[in-house]
Every structure is written in C-alpha cells, then in structure tokens.
Amino acid sequence: YLYNTYRVRTVVIATNEEGSQSYIMMDALAKAVQQRDSRIKVKIVQTAGSADIMNLLESYQADFGTAQLDAELPDQVQTVALLYPQAFHMIVPAASDIWSPADLRGKKIATSSKSGGGYKSIFELLAYYGLSPEDVEVIPFEDGDLRDAAFINGDVDAMFRANTIGSSSLRELAAQKDIRFLQLEQFDAMRIQYPYLFQYVIPKGTYRADAPIIPVQDTKVVGVPTLLFVNANVSEDIVHLFASALFESQNDIVQSTIQGIWIESPVNYRTLVPEIHSGALSYFNSDEPGFFSKYYNELSLLFTLGPVLVSLYFTLIASFQAKQKSTASSYNLELAKLLADLTYSKNIRTVQ
C-alpha cells in the first residue's frame, strides 16, 4: 500500500518537434496531469513524425503518442481521444493552370518528410484521382522551410501539406506568395475507398483577408484528425488520469493552443478508430448518469405525489368501510326493530 501511494511513475509521450501543434498540446496536457498527481512525471519525446511515434509505441519506448488517423498503426496501439483536424491543403500558385489533383500528372510536388503523416496521405489522394507514384514527382523535405522555399521559388509546381485549418505557417506563406487551394469535393466517394477521411471547409479569407483574399471562397477539402494513442499495456488508472486531465483541463489547453477547441471523445467514432483503451472508456462512461440521476424528474414527481396518493387511497378505503359499516348498522337496526315487533306483537298480521 505504501509503495503504491508514494511511488513515482514516469510516463513518456512521443510527439512531433517542439513548436508543432501536437507538441504544444502535449506539453499542456503534461502540466495538467502533474497538477492532478505529483507522483506522475511526464517526459515528452520529440520525433520526425507519425512513423517514428508509432515505432516508439510499438517498441514500448513510449506510453502515449500523437499521430494522424491514417498512419500505419501497430496492433497494440489503442485510442484515447481525437485532438484536432489535419486538413489536406493541396497548394498551387494562384496563376497556375492546375485546378484538380488530376491535373498534377507530370508535375513536381513538395511535401513533408517520409516519416511525417502527410507523406502517406498524398499518395492516397493522388491514387483516388487516378495517379500512380510514377505519374508525378513527389519530393519530400525534412526541413519545412526548405520545402516552402522550393514552392515560393517555383522549383516545384505544387505543395501538399496536412495542416490545421488557419495554420500560422500557411498564413506566412500566403503573405509571401499568391496561392490557391485545390477543392477536394468528392468526399462521399473518397470515403468509400478511405473510410477514415473527414470532410473540412477552409473558410473564405482564412489565410489572407484582402488583396487578394485567400482562399477566395469557402474551399471544401478532406483530411484526417490527429489522435492521442496509447500502448494497450499502459495501466487503466494512468490512461484514466490522462483522459480526465485532457478533457477537464481543456480550457487551459486552449490557452496554449486554439486547436484545443477540437478535443473530442472517440466514442462516436468507434468504427473508424482503433479500439478505445479501457482506461479512457472508464472515464467517458463515468459521465453517463446513474439510474437516480437519469430518472431524477420522474422519481421526484413520484416521491412528491406518492404520499398524497397513498393518503388519498387510505381515505377512500376508510370512507368505503365507513359507508359499509353505516349500511350494516341500518340493516341491523331494522332487523332489531322487526324482531322487537314480532316479540311484543300479539297479532302476526299487525307486524306484516
């Protein structure tokens, strides 16, 4: 008992590099957890992307990890929560003659590193539009600044980025170059092939409000959410603690990153996400009202009217019994009178 009460446990979270949305969110989560339980020490490990994070989870070098839903997920990885959306931004120069991903045949496309979530996503997107890896030249960049510079300088024809909507880095890009985003409107059809896709909208003027407006109109795109995953072997009490800290400290997380507004339970997405860890489920189920809470109004009415109804019942019974008693007494009096008449009458006909 004393050992469990006072022992210090270290929990490792694998996420992206410092400054990324996932790192900022995990740093805020770590602080929330340690405020709740000072015996928990949280260590954040920076990686190059989803592939590295999943490797750390699979090799038990990390307990929790953040990754896009379309990442290659090991069997022992389970779900804790949805964190924020990653919309697929297919970006071209504003004057480009590229209007659909199908127009990218024979073009050069800059994207994130091979270990990043976006690298896998671009090939799935191109495949839907009938393009194979041989039809385009996808150039991965380890350095995001070099990737953006290649696009700005015209060394590539397009750039693919899986980013949060309203990303500050995309605002900076729009400030340096007039750009356009390709519409990805065939969401329902795409989801048949890739069921984990979500539909998002980039509102008009998200990246530049004027001269020119970027985008010039609401732009439909697809994407995937970033999730908080956990190794299935992590104890239920630890996962419960992290889930409660994540959701109950959401306002504090939003102070660190606006993307905290998107934090959501995975319960409504069970068919799309890996199995939800039992520790997270125990937290989500604790929000379900018990029997008395669920039927509070009905029970209150019953307890309020119950005594009145019982009292009325016994009053009616007493009234009925009194009436029966009164009727019986009347019959008894008439019978006694009749007997008296028979006893004292000398003529039977008089009694009749």
Side-chain angles (χ1 to χ4, degrees):
Y1 171 78
L2 291 176
Y3 172 74
N4 287 328
T5 301
Y6 295 105
R7 69 169 172 152
V8 175
R9 288 185 281 183
T10 299
V11 177
V12 178
I13 304 177
T15 188
N16 294 320
E17 68 280 356
E18 187 172 0
S20 65
Q21 290 295 333
S22 57
Y23 184 94
I24 295 170
M25 192 173 289
M26 290 304 97
D27 183 58
L29 173 59
K31 292 174 181 175
V33 167
Q34 290 172 329
Q35 286 176 354
R36 287 169 171 266
D37 191 337
S38 59
R39 300 168 302 171
I40 304 299
K41 302 302 180 184
V42 181
K43 178 182 178 182
I44 299 179
V45 175
Q46 301 178 50
T47 73
S50 297
D52 290 346
I53 293 168
M54 290 302 110
N55 288 335
L56 291 173
L57 283 174
E58 186 175 24
S59 60
Y60 302 98
Q61 296 180 64
D63 303 295
F64 292 87
T66 60
Q68 292 179 193
L69 182 56
D70 61 346
E72 295 290 342
L73 304 175
D75 293 337
Q76 72 267 37
V77 166
Q78 295 184 346
T79 303
V80 178
L82 279 73
L83 296 179
Y84 54 85
Q86 292 274 67
F88 292 170
H89 295 71
M90 185 64 81
I91 311 164
V92 296
S96 171
D97 59 355
I98 299 171
W99 294 96
S100 163
D103 298 331
L104 289 167
R105 187 182 301 275
K107 305 295 185 181
K108 295 180 179 181
I109 308 170
T111 188
S112 59
S113 66
K114 292 184 178 181
S115 59
Y119 188 76
K120 175 175 179 285
S121 301
I122 186 174
F123 288 105
E124 293 175 344
L125 180 63
L126 293 172
Y128 173 79
Y129 284 92
L131 300 179
S132 69
E134 291 73 30
D135 293 325
V136 296
E137 184 180 354
V138 175
I139 306 172
F141 285 83
E142 295 289 337
D143 188 308
D145 291 336
L146 292 178
R147 174 201 58 206
D148 293 351
F151 176 75
I152 292 171
N153 295 332
D155 298 330
V156 295
D157 303 290
M159 178 167 61
F160 177 82
R161 290 178 57 172
N163 271 103
T164 55
I165 297 173
S167 162
S168 59
S169 62
L170 283 177
R171 283 201 182 97
E172 292 172 5
L173 178 69
Q176 299 177 62
K177 188 178 181 70
D178 290 346
I179 58 175
R180 178 163 44 84
F181 301 101
L182 301 187
Q183 295 260 14
L184 305 174
E185 299 179 291
Q186 300 176 27
F187 169 69
D188 291 329
M190 294 175 74
R191 203 172 187 186
I192 295 173
Q193 195 167 346
Y194 305 109
Y196 44 76
L197 290 177
F198 284 56
Q199 186 173 44
Y200 302 115
V201 175
I202 305 173
K204 175 182 177 179
T206 295
Y207 297 109
R208 191 192 288 180
D210 196 16
I213 298 171
I214 300 176
V216 70
Q217 62 183 1
D218 289 354
T219 304
K220 291 182 179 180
V221 295
V222 298
V224 291
T226 290
L227 278 71
L228 178 60
F229 294 109
V230 64
N231 190 298
N233 292 324
V234 175
S235 65
E236 185 171 319
D237 65 313
I238 289 293
V239 179
H240 187 283
L241 172 63
F242 272 70
S244 63
L246 181 66
F247 285 90
E248 294 172 18
S249 301
Q250 190 170 359
N251 287 339
D252 296 329
I253 294 173
V254 170
Q255 297 302 312
S256 299
T257 169
I258 191 61
Q259 298 303 322
I261 64 173
W262 298 100
I263 294 172
E264 187 178 0
S265 164
V267 170
N268 293 331
Y269 304 98
R270 291 190 187 204
T271 58
L272 300 177
V273 302
E275 181 182 355
I276 302 172
H277 192 283
S278 58
L281 272 179
S282 68
Y283 172 74
F284 298 131
N285 291 338
S286 67
D287 290 338
E288 294 183 2
F291 175 81
F292 290 104
S293 298
K294 187 175 183 179
Y295 297 103
Y296 173 80
N297 292 332
E298 292 84 350
L299 291 172
S300 296
L301 181 63
L302 177 62
F303 289 138
T304 301
L305 296 181
V308 177
L309 295 174
V310 171
S311 177
L312 179 61
Y313 170 76
F314 283 112
T315 300
L316 292 174
I317 292 295
S319 176
F320 178 71
Q321 290 176 339
K323 186 176 180 180
Q324 284 186 319
K325 184 177 181 180
S326 176
T327 302
S329 296
S330 298
Y331 289 153
N332 290 337
L333 288 173
E334 290 184 13
L335 181 59
K337 185 175 181 299
L338 180 60
L339 290 174
D341 289 343
L342 287 172
T343 301
Y344 295 106
S345 177
K346 295 180 180 180
N347 189 343
I348 188 67
R349 292 181 178 177
T350 301
V351 176
Q352 292 177 340

